[in-house]
Amino acid sequence: MLSCAEEKEATDLLQNILRCNTTNPPGNEAVLAEIIKQWLAGEEISCLIDEFELNRANLIFEIKGAAEGLKLLATGHLDTVPPGNRPWQHDPFGAEIKDGLIYGRGASDMKGSVAAMLYAIARMKRKGIMPKQDILFLATAGEEMFCQGALHFVDKNGMENIGAVLVGEPSNGDLLLAHKGAAWLEVTTYGKTAHGSMPDLGVNAVMSMNVFLTALARQSFQAEKHSLLGLPTISVNKIEGGVAINVVPDSCKCKIDIRTIPGQNEDDVKILIEKAIAEATECCPEFKADYKFLCSLPSVGCIPNDKIIDCAVECADREMKQRGVNYFTDASALIGDKKMPLIIYGPGDDKQAHQPDEYLSMSKYFEAIEFYEKFFTAYSIK
């Protein structure tokens, strides 16, 4: 159990992290990385701030373990989504605590996890506890926009000698063992402009988009239901086209969010989109369209029955619900198509992610600190 003094220290750390605005865009994670660096220096832990764009940076440090070999990667992201247009009852960057809950953008997703991991590691160091293997801590920038920091880390060979991954995304204290991938696409239909009073002289790209979406609605993936993730999903979430009410539009764009499951790849998505385009072309001879991927991140899952699962359950000192989630994490970029021990655990409630008046239970935050400390101490990759 944390002492009252430790709870106060851990709370101060979390509040300082929440009060730093890292809304993405633009991110400004480098500012928060510097705040964390100063806090780590007080714990005699040195770190590297890897700035890959102006004010965009990952924070990295390593804790030596008793055994040489593969490392455990513990990771979380520093950026958050914007507070949104709906008014908050609590300042999104105030870190106010009321009735055992701390409010702020990123409290659940996922600055609470980052703070809990940091405090757990500092607590281990104070006690002189050495983990069984090296632990590499990575706080990333840009997770909310295509995992920019994680991809930068991979490009710099950061995953070399990594043998297992712990992601601190919000799990509400459950043990997450898989998550869906994300294929985000932009489809553009093309037409011919004309005066709105003479539509027969033009080709309406918005109506062409309607033909495409009708064809898309008839498509489905030939995939079996995954035990943790269910079936893949397709959601059309944004459409824009036309320039004026009296002008036949010559282009229309739509953005599509496809969530994939293990066993699927980018080719499966291409086949589905191209089949819809082919059917639309057959239905409408004047139909013209193309598409591009905005994001393509694979689904990931833990190796079945891996001992990382047993270790996590033992460290929790309670029954842990094991499940999968529809959202994606930096694990997509870090692990990719590799098979690797993976768990996702965080104190935040995944249903709180991106919500107004986002909050985190302080009791679950303190529980997470104890879990991370026990797990970092007990887990051995070999």
Side-chain angles (χ1 to χ4, degrees):
M1 295 286 291
L2 273 67
S3 68
C4 291
E6 288 173 325
E7 287 188 357
K8 174 66 167 58
E9 289 178 340
T11 299
D12 289 345
L13 173 63
L14 176 56
Q15 287 182 311
N16 287 337
I17 289 175
L18 285 175
R19 287 168 179 156
C20 183
N21 184 347
T22 53
T23 296
N24 185 10
N28 289 327
E29 298 93 339
V31 178
L32 179 53
E34 287 289 348
I35 292 172
I36 294 173
K37 181 180 180 179
Q38 292 177 21
W39 184 86
L40 288 169
E43 299 294 332
E44 299 182 349
I45 298 172
S46 60
C47 68
L48 167 69
I49 294 179
D50 181 12
E51 190 166 357
F52 57 88
E53 292 179 10
L54 182 63
N55 296 326
R56 312 302 302 279
N58 294 338
L59 180 142
I60 307 164
F61 66 86
E62 188 169 323
I63 301 297
K64 294 301 294 180
E68 298 289 334
L70 296 175
K71 304 172 185 178
L72 168 67
L73 177 67
T75 185
H77 62 86
L78 300 178
D79 61 323
T80 72
V81 296
N85 294 322
R86 287 177 57 188
W88 288 48
Q89 294 182 355
H90 305 272
D91 181 351
F93 304 106
E96 176 188 351
I97 299 175
K98 185 177 181 180
D99 298 329
L101 304 176
I102 186 167
Y103 291 86
R105 178 52 88 217
S108 274
D109 181 20
M110 56 167 292
K111 289 180 173 180
S113 298
V114 171
M117 287 184 188
L118 290 169
Y119 196 80
I121 290 170
R123 197 167 182 245
M124 289 170 63
K125 189 175 186 300
R126 293 176 188 180
K127 295 178 179 180
I129 297 174
M130 177 175 282
K132 291 184 177 179
Q133 80 289 298
D134 294 350
I135 298 171
L136 186 66
F137 179 85
L138 168 68
T140 62
E143 188 270 353
E144 297 289 0
M145 296 292 288
F146 313 135
C147 304
Q148 295 159 292
L151 290 170
H152 172 74
F153 179 76
V154 171
D155 288 344
K156 295 187 69 174
N157 298 317
M159 289 300 291
E160 190 174 341
N161 296 322
I162 299 298
V165 177
L166 163 63
V167 181
E169 289 282 2
S171 72
N172 205 22
D174 296 338
L175 190 62
L176 308 184
L177 301 177
H179 69 66
K180 287 184 175 179
W184 293 348
L185 299 99
E186 182 178 81
V187 176
T188 304
T189 53
Y190 299 97
K192 178 184 176 183
T193 189
H195 197 284
S197 67
M198 295 172 279
D200 55 304
L201 299 181
V203 176
N204 192 312
V206 171
M207 297 304 292
S208 293
M209 182 62 73
N210 182 55
V211 175
F212 165 76
L213 293 176
T214 300
L216 181 65
R218 292 193 291 265
Q219 311 306 315
S220 63
F221 289 108
Q222 302 303 306
E224 294 185 7
K225 188 175 182 179
H226 188 271
S227 59
L228 294 175
L229 300 174
L231 292 169
T233 59
I234 306 170
S235 183
V236 179
N237 293 337
K238 186 175 182 180
I239 297 179
E240 52 187 346
V243 294
I245 194 170
N246 60 343
V247 178
V248 174
D250 61 358
S251 70
C252 182
K253 297 180 184 293
C254 80
K255 293 182 179 179
I256 305 170
D257 183 344
I258 297 177
R259 301 298 168 120
T260 57
I261 60 176
Q264 293 185 300
N265 56 38
E266 193 173 289
D267 287 340
D268 296 304
V269 176
K270 288 180 179 178
I271 289 170
L272 181 134
I273 296 296
E274 289 173 3
K275 186 176 179 183
I277 289 175
E279 290 186 10
T281 303
E282 185 176 351
C283 174
C284 181
E286 294 180 317
F287 181 85
K288 288 180 63 178
D290 59 25
Y291 70 94
K292 64 180 179 180
F293 281 85
L294 304 176
C295 169
S296 183
L297 295 166
S299 174
V300 297
C302 186
I303 298 172
N305 303 313
D306 191 89
K307 69 176 184 176
I308 196 172
I309 302 171
D310 295 331
C311 183
V313 171
E314 291 172 6
C315 292
D317 292 330
R318 59 174 173 78
E319 185 175 345
M320 295 184 85
K321 183 179 179 181
Q322 299 178 22
R323 58 186 175 97
V325 287
N326 292 333
Y327 63 73
F328 68 87
T329 77
D330 271 337
S332 289
L334 295 168
I335 297 175
D337 296 326
K338 297 177 183 176
K339 299 296 182 182
M340 187 176 293
L342 162 74
I343 59 169
I344 302 167
Y345 170 92
D349 184 347
D350 36 329
K351 293 180 181 178
Q352 278 292 310
H354 304 186
Q355 295 292 322
D357 287 306
E358 180 182 351
Y359 64 77
L360 171 66
S361 162
M362 292 304 295
S363 63
K364 287 191 175 181
Y365 171 60
F366 298 140
E367 180 185 289
I369 292 172
E370 294 189 68
F371 171 85
Y372 289 138
E373 181 180 333
K374 290 175 183 177
F375 182 78
F376 291 153
T377 301
Y379 179 60
S380 174
I381 295 171
K382 292 183 179 179

